[in-house]
Amino acid sequence: MKYLFTGIGMASMACFVACNQGHTDSQASSPDALSVNVDSTVNPANDFFDYANGGWIKRNPIPPEYSAWGIGNLVQEELYKRLRTINEHAVEKPTDDISKKIAAFWKSGMDSAAINAAGIKPLEADLKAIDAVTNTQELVALAAAQNVISGAMCSPYIGQDAKNSEVMALQFYQGGLGLPDRDYYFNTDARTTKIREAYPAHIARMLQFTGMDSSAAKAAASNIFKLETLLAKSSRKLEALRDPEANYHKMPVTELNKIAGNIDWSNFIRQQGITAHADTIIVGQPEFYTALSNAIKSQPLETWKNYLKWQLIASSAQGLSDEIATADFEFYGKLMKGQEKQKPRWKRVLETEEGAMGEALGQLFVKEFFNATAKKRYETLVEDIRAALKVRIENLTWMSDSTKQKALYKLSKITKKVGYPDKWKDFSAMEIKEQSYAANIAAARKWWHHYQLNKLGKPVDRNEWDMTPQTYNAYYNPSNNEIVLPAGIFTVPGKRDEELDDALVYGYAGASTIGHEITHGFDDEGRQFDAAGNLKSWWTKDDEAKFNQRAAVMIKQFDGYVVVDSLHINGKATLGENIADLGGILLGWDAFQKTEQFKKGAPIAGYTPAQRYFMGYSLGWLSHTKKEDLARRVLVDVHSPAKFRVNGPFSDVDAFYQTYNVKEGNGMWRPDSLRVRIW
């Protein structure tokens, strides 16, 4: 995953594998996890992704409620079942405060009759407050208060100061758009154009739930779209947001008042509930705030009021009646992602609960599904990967000794967090109880808002986790110089740990997760942060230039891949993830060569240990995606699509060429001069 920023709002959600010594065919108690997915009609030297995963893809169409289907979904299905059981047991027999809150949230979310009967009522007080606004001062004050729920206008959050990682700072980022990215407002390809043209009608449909008649809603939607387009024009592109130095502007609040003077930012901050430690702020994109200020003055008050209504109902839709939630899904799920129908209510409630109080669920989850022995196993694997990178850095021919020493020091200081936190968050003050679903969601949002605000002026808690234990994901945090590997990511669907050979594990967990996250500390963004987590140059100018030259080879490589229709991968936007993928593969391979399985060379299910390593990595990206969602991801995602996360980096790995006898003329072949050589 990319770097994770925790904002003012609810917690984030999230992924991976397992580890053991090699086994022989006779020891397997169920079909081999790798060979069962192979499409033997495909030459691995031509398209390794289709070879390793194509058999499974052919047998497993994408279910109608999903836009993609693959390994992550299979793991998530197991997690869904486990979490549903935890919730149902909590309802049957709540034993403590945590289980009582879990039970109350689950019951309120599953009470569809009460939710449907309430309709728009949970938002009535907020809608009346918007109607009562008579001037821009009142508008901005109300927008600041509602921003906590809706994210209207902009994106404030509390996070570590990139240049002083010991300090939690108030930061302002661009935001306020109803479409996922600024390019949706301007790109002219057929898919994006179709979504953009349908967007005003969707806004109008949602506004009618607030009480507007159809003609008024249509006119309001047209004006809202024009307003958002104004904001989008001054929003930075996805690739531009990946430059940490260019998106760091520390200033006193009075300076923001100078460049965006139609908004009283001191009052805006107070309306967020911040009364101290906010005289100085970090603004990511100053030009966006200038545009926002100008729009406050240039756009009619009525347009802004309708915009706040739209943002409010859009951000709340999935917690409201089926009619409203379905309307939201028709645009954001069906049109934008290609989903044919919504997930069942129980899965949607689990997803909302995860964001609201996922770590509370995690306390119960790890008791049953991830013990201390498993935690130790993956901590050891992290050290194997760290040792492999140490050797690689020491042997680099393009980097000077002075930069090498600093790189090695940073590597030694990377903190590993595996499985679950040593200290859990205290949710006792979160007012989840026997009340409506909307009220419980609001209570969780309020708790998270105050939780984040309370960080201002206090020491950074470097022990905190920004993902829950049951999450199928992982992350590197540059400000803490840490990798975080939740228990959920070590899940192989349908398999026990003892069924997994090292080749699979070193590819699946060691390369695509652990090695990937460690490499993020040395990708084009992560390398700009020092061992203490500060945005600070520790490279010589010559070494930096050499790194950028090598990274440019990767940018060009991925720019050349066509994903769907005429849409290419954005090589600059995906550079960090592509570097991390390649680094992870190389580190996993180096570490795997030291194992007994690799040294003995005995085949399993007809495949050598080396072959199984590359197949194991590919298992981590086993999936296929609908064209609609592929097109969306090209615009909004800093990760390349799954197929290219396998074929792209493998084409740069010499050991892959040797293992599968890749020759010139094969689809996976790249001339040596064009292979990426960084770490």
Side-chain angles (χ1 to χ4, degrees), residues 492-547:
V492 173
K495 294 291 180 180
R496 302 187 306 273
D497 283 356
E498 60 268 24
E499 293 181 277
L500 304 174
D501 61 292
D502 276 347
L504 184 157
V505 168
Y506 275 75
Y508 182 50
S512 65
T513 302
I514 297 171
H516 175 97
E517 301 305 340
I518 286 180
T519 304
H520 268 316
F522 303 91
D523 70 13
D524 63 312
E525 281 190 75
R527 70 167 190 82
Q528 298 183 57
F529 291 79
D530 66 14
N534 295 312
L535 181 57
K536 180 180 179 181
S537 178
W538 49 272
W539 294 60
T540 68
K541 291 296 182 183
D542 186 54
D543 289 336
E544 187 172 328
K546 289 178 179 177
F547 177 93

Side-chain angles (χ1 to χ4, degrees), residues 39 48 79 134 170-171 260 265 424 527 578 599 612 668:
D39 182 351
F48 194 81
L79 296 177
T134 61
L170 175 60
Q171 312 196 35
W265 291 103
W424 300 98
R527 70 167 190 82
N578 296 333
K599 293 174 182 177
R612 291 180 65 80
M668 296 290 294

